[in-house]
Amino acid sequence: MAVPVQQPVTYETTHAVEVAADAEAVYAVVADARSWPLRFLPNVHVEHLEESDGFERIRIWATANGAVKSWTSVRTLDPEALRVTFRQEVSTPPVAAMGGEWIVTRLAPGRSRLELRHDFSAVDDAPENVEWIRAALDRNSGQELDNIRQVAELGGRLAELEFSFTDTVHIEGDGTDVFDFLNRADLWPERLPHVAALDLTEDEPGVQVMRMDTSTKDGSVHTTESIRVCFPDAAGGRIVYKQTTVPLLMTAHTGAWTIKASGTGVDVSSRHDVRLRTDTVERILGEGATVADARAYVHKALSTNSTATMNLARAYAEERRG
């Protein structure tokens, strides 16, 4: 006699927010997964694995209940219906399976409602796993919906507050040595003059959580916390990161170190993506300071530190080759 297979229990949640913006503007934020790490508090990094019209397959790294989790999802995008459906292909325990839908509804000109629906099952349907997932969804969905609301309501001001830039240094050395220098952030207090202290944990290979104290020329020290995802390869590789605690002039800061073969050496690049705050500009930079002043200040500070790091990585790699 065949023993019936017990089907996993599926649970459902719905979270929603009203947004003072047109539905199309809200949908655009949801659809642009590449910008999620800069715009969504829980999201650390998004890798696009496959793309076609109305379809994408992505790998996501994000925090959930204080831990860094990663999963692969497929998404179907429907701009006419203002809906994005998603389903995890590869889930991370305690999640056994998860999917859902973003739904944007027009309420009135300049006003819309955004719903985020999830369906999920838990490993072994254990009550503690179900509760863990519910807690993570409540926290992350609330943060993401509020982040989308904030971004959509900025409208045209968003272009003023968000900016990106890249600095590149050529190194006549091996990319693997450059990667080692950047990857071993635990050694930065010994190697980088502007790093006063750094604590790093790497519970999962290639996923680093770090807290860093950085000194400035005026003698002050500011503390940042970051999550980094490291991708070594034969040429050197990439390290992407998100600052989870940022200086007061910024709302968000993400970036990447990228090492590529170039001639007899490599080019190492540091990219920064930033969204500025507006309420701290005058407090930090003085009365009458503008967002443009903050943009220039942040650009210079980040560029100075990352270029100094790349130049020290150059000295390290070229000495090892030489």
Side-chain angles (χ1 to χ4, degrees):
M1 177 175 159
V3 177
V5 177
Q6 185 175 356
Q7 295 298 315
V9 178
T10 299
Y11 302 87
E12 297 181 349
T13 64
T14 299
H15 300 82
V17 68
E18 289 195 11
V19 187
D22 289 332
E24 289 77 10
V26 176
Y27 174 85
V29 180
V30 173
D32 185 10
R34 283 186 171 83
S35 297
W36 284 4
L38 189 64
R39 295 175 175 177
F40 291 8
L41 192 60
N43 289 81
V44 174
H45 180 59
V46 174
E47 288 267 312
H48 274 74
L49 307 177
E50 184 181 351
E51 284 184 274
S52 60
D53 187 31
F55 171 86
E56 60 187 8
R57 185 166 165 263
I58 58 178
R59 187 174 178 190
I60 301 169
W61 286 259
T63 57
N65 292 340
V68 181
K69 298 289 185 178
S70 176
W71 63 90
T72 302
S73 290
V74 294
R75 301 208 311 161
T76 303
L77 294 85
D78 188 342
E80 296 299 322
L82 300 173
R83 291 180 176 228
V84 177
T85 60
F86 57 90
R87 180 68 50 189
Q88 291 186 3
E89 282 188 332
V90 180
S91 300
T92 301
V95 178
M98 182 175 289
E101 192 169 23
W102 299 89
I103 304 169
V104 187
T105 304
R106 296 182 182 89
L107 299 179
R111 191 146 201 93
S112 55
R113 174 182 169 85
L114 175 61
E115 285 185 79
L116 175 53
R117 299 177 181 175
H118 286 94
D119 60 80
F120 70 89
S121 59
V123 172
D124 299 327
D125 199 32
E128 62 272 21
N129 290 341
V130 174
E131 182 56 35
W132 190 97
I133 296 168
R134 283 193 183 278
L137 287 177
D138 285 345
R139 179 180 294 106
N140 284 15
S141 298
Q143 290 176 339
E144 289 172 352
L145 289 168
D146 192 51
N147 293 156
I148 293 169
R149 180 189 60 76
Q150 292 172 9
V151 170
E153 289 179 354
L154 281 170
R157 294 193 63 203
L158 185 63
E160 178 188 19
L161 299 177
E162 287 187 351
F163 67 99
S164 302
F165 65 94
T166 300
D167 295 310
T168 301
V169 170
H170 180 72
I171 298 176
E172 284 296 319
D174 296 337
T176 52
D177 290 331
V178 178
F179 183 86
D180 176 69
F181 186 94
L182 298 173
N183 182 58
R184 289 298 306 272
D186 57 312
L187 299 178
W188 282 5
E190 304 167 21
R191 293 174 165 177
L192 305 181
H194 64 273
V195 177
L198 191 146
D199 293 321
L200 183 143
T201 59
E202 191 169 351
D203 295 333
E204 177 186 342
V207 179
Q208 302 176 344
V209 179
M210 53 189 269
R211 178 183 176 91
M212 182 170 67
D213 293 339
T214 303
S215 303
T216 58
K217 288 184 177 180
D218 62 8
S220 61
V221 175
H222 66 260
T223 300
T224 58
E225 295 180 337
S226 302
I227 297 171
R228 309 202 310 172
V229 184
C230 307
F231 302 95
D233 61 30
R238 289 180 301 139
I239 298 174
V240 300
Y241 62 88
K242 175 172 183 169
Q243 286 191 343
T244 53
T245 300
V246 295
L248 286 174
L249 281 174
M250 292 185 272
T251 297
H253 175 210
T254 65
W257 304 95
T258 304
I259 305 160
K260 294 183 178 180
S262 176
T264 56
V266 295
D267 286 338
V268 56
S269 297
S270 171
R271 191 197 78 238
H272 296 276
D273 304 304
V274 175
R275 189 158 95 246
L276 298 172
R277 289 178 63 169
T278 57
D279 60 325
T280 58
V281 172
E282 289 192 305
R283 183 179 6 143
I284 302 299
L285 300 182
E287 187 177 352
T290 65
V291 169
D293 295 326
R295 183 169 177 148
Y297 181 92
V298 169
H299 187 154
K300 181 179 179 181
L302 294 176
S303 181
T304 297
N305 284 349
S306 58
T307 301
T309 300
M310 289 188 291
N311 283 331
L312 289 165
R314 177 175 62 184
Y316 173 84
E318 290 181 352
E319 181 181 6
R320 287 178 64 84
R321 174 184 278 190

